[in-house]
Amino acid sequence: MNNTKNKLLVAFTGPSNSGKTSLIVKISNILQDEGFKVCIIKHDPKDKAIFDYKGKDSDKFSQTGANVAVVSPNRTTVLKKNTSSIDEMCEMFGDFDYLLVEGLKTLDLPRIAIFRNKLDDKYFQFSNAIAHDDTIKDSSIPSQLVSLDLNNPEQIIDWININAKRVKK
């Protein structure tokens, strides 16, 4: 299915409640069931993500302004006090097959815009394909964008395998 000598990077964009997270979860589950290692980046444009509950140790450490990592037997959680480039994120994640990015619409990656009920043309300039449900007619999709079935994650994975940015492992 995939050339295992490359990491495949693709982004998803679209309005709130369009189904971005649900689609990414479906795609991630399918790929992992097929034995691929998947990493996901979620953009937080409003800077509202919290590291730990107020008053807990990791929150206290974070409040000092330091970068903090919490290491446990099954996970590592990192909070840096500055943003990271896509290259830094790839380096941090290490070995993987697919990197799925939700948001970061100005990031130079092949991108699928997700829509339900209506299109929003402000996403077109950042997108290569549009995944939509049957509330949107194919004839309303601009000709320069590929039309994908939002309810067919396998079709979307096929598009990713052909169009994703490839980075050497």
Side-chain angles (χ1 to χ4, degrees):
M1 177 186 217
N2 170 23
N3 179 349
T4 58
K5 294 183 181 173
N6 288 308
K7 299 175 180 183
L8 301 182
L9 286 63
V10 68
F12 299 82
T13 195
S16 293
N17 299 314
S18 60
K20 297 180 300 292
T21 299
S22 296
L23 178 62
I24 291 169
V25 167
K26 285 178 191 175
I27 289 171
S28 178
N29 286 335
I30 291 168
L31 291 171
Q32 290 182 76
D33 286 349
E34 293 177 5
F36 294 106
K37 185 172 180 185
V38 178
C39 297
I40 299 171
I41 295 174
K42 164 75 172 124
H43 183 217
D44 176 23
K46 296 181 180 169
D47 209 17
K48 62 184 179 183
I50 59 169
F51 187 58
D52 203 345
Y53 301 104
K54 201 82 171 149
K56 298 297 278 181
D57 291 348
S58 59
D59 178 63
K60 290 176 185 175
F61 296 150
S62 174
Q63 295 303 317
T64 70
N67 293 332
V68 179
V70 177
V71 180
S72 65
N74 294 306
R75 87 177 99 200
T76 299
T77 306
V78 177
L79 177 68
K80 288 176 46 182
K81 291 296 185 168
N82 55 357
T83 192
S84 296
S85 70
I86 195 71
D87 293 333
E88 290 169 326
M89 295 300 297
C90 286
E91 181 71 25
M92 182 183 76
F93 283 134
D95 185 35
F96 62 86
D97 299 302
Y98 291 85
L99 176 64
L100 310 176
V101 178
E102 182 179 339
L104 292 165
K105 69 182 171 205
T106 59
L107 190 62
D108 186 24
L109 287 177
R111 182 171 305 276
I112 301 170
I114 313 301
F115 295 104
R116 293 180 193 271
N117 301 316
K118 70 176 195 160
L119 295 173
D120 184 342
D121 62 4
K122 73 180 178 188
Y123 293 93
F124 294 172
Q125 68 179 322
F126 303 106
S127 302
N128 305 95
I130 292 179
H132 60 90
D133 63 11
D134 60 4
T135 62
I136 296 173
K137 302 298 175 216
D138 279 339
S139 60
S140 63
I141 306 295
S143 61
Q144 76 273 18
L145 300 173
V146 174
S147 177
L148 300 169
D149 181 352
L150 183 57
N151 297 311
N152 186 344
E154 291 82 4
Q155 177 195 46
I156 295 170
I157 291 169
D158 288 343
W159 185 91
I160 291 169
N161 286 332
I162 293 167
N163 295 285
K165 179 178 180 177
R166 285 163 165 69
V167 177
K168 294 288 183 204
K169 283 192 173 189

